[in-house]
Amino acid sequence: INNLQNVLTDKKTRGIYGEIELYSILENVFGNNNNFYEKQYKLSNGYIADSIIKASPPLGNIVIDSKFPLENYNRIHNNDLSLEERNRAKVNFRKDVLKHIYDIKDKYIVPLETAEFAYMFIPAEAIFSEIYGKYDDIIQTSYKTKIYLVSPKTLMAYITAIQAIYLGQKRNDKIEIIQQRTIIFGSASPFSSK
């Protein structure tokens, strides 16, 4: 537990922890298949996103970037601090999350290269719940900017749905090929009733 606390207090290490959590979820859904997603994806503007999901049109490449706004979240819940300090932490927590949203919007939404939206992955369910339960303005900003906040559970649901859509489209493509061959070969088709 002490080692985990040490990891989470260091900002860089916490960022790596968030990325590892993200990659673990992607691997659980897609396996190690680069046809579905890529880690550390470099965009044409030079920025590197933690990952992209290679979704079919009209979605396109969906950027997922991990953010872990922990310091001020912890200060909000630290009862050793005064009420004034905790209220200041709430203001700073709001600023932290909004900054992350706008950073993702400015860096990772690239017309004709990425989807028109991106996911901001928050690797802690408690922080995600805090935002959704107490910061409606942040949620409204995320909807307006099309930077959708996701937790490990919600990200799993979204990417599972994207995978199902992708696999459905692949099946439909194969059905179209079979139908075209049936038309070309007519009664010689293995699907012919004769």
Side-chain angles (χ1 to χ4, degrees), residues 148-163:
Y148 302 116
L149 280 55
V150 292
S151 69
K153 288 179 185 175
T154 56
L155 178 62
M156 180 73 83
Y158 285 133
I159 63 178
T160 300
I162 291 167
Q163 181 188 40

Side-chain angles (χ1 to χ4, degrees), residues 100-166:
H100 290 323
I101 289 170
Y102 285 112
D103 283 350
I104 292 170
K105 179 186 178 297
D106 293 342
K107 294 177 181 177
Y108 304 127
I109 302 294
V110 181
L112 305 175
E113 184 176 355
T114 67
E116 295 177 354
F117 67 94
Y119 293 133
M120 177 175 142
F121 176 67
I122 301 169
E125 293 288 345
I127 296 174
F128 177 80
S129 297
E130 176 99 7
I131 295 168
Y132 265 84
K134 298 179 180 175
Y135 295 89
D136 188 60
D137 61 314
I138 291 175
I139 302 308
Q140 295 309 315
T141 299
S142 80
Y143 292 150
K144 287 177 191 165
T145 57
K146 298 182 180 179
I147 306 301
Y148 302 116
L149 280 55
V150 292
S151 69
K153 288 179 185 175
T154 56
L155 178 62
M156 180 73 83
Y158 285 133
I159 63 178
T160 300
I162 291 167
Q163 181 188 40
I165 292 167
Y166 175 83

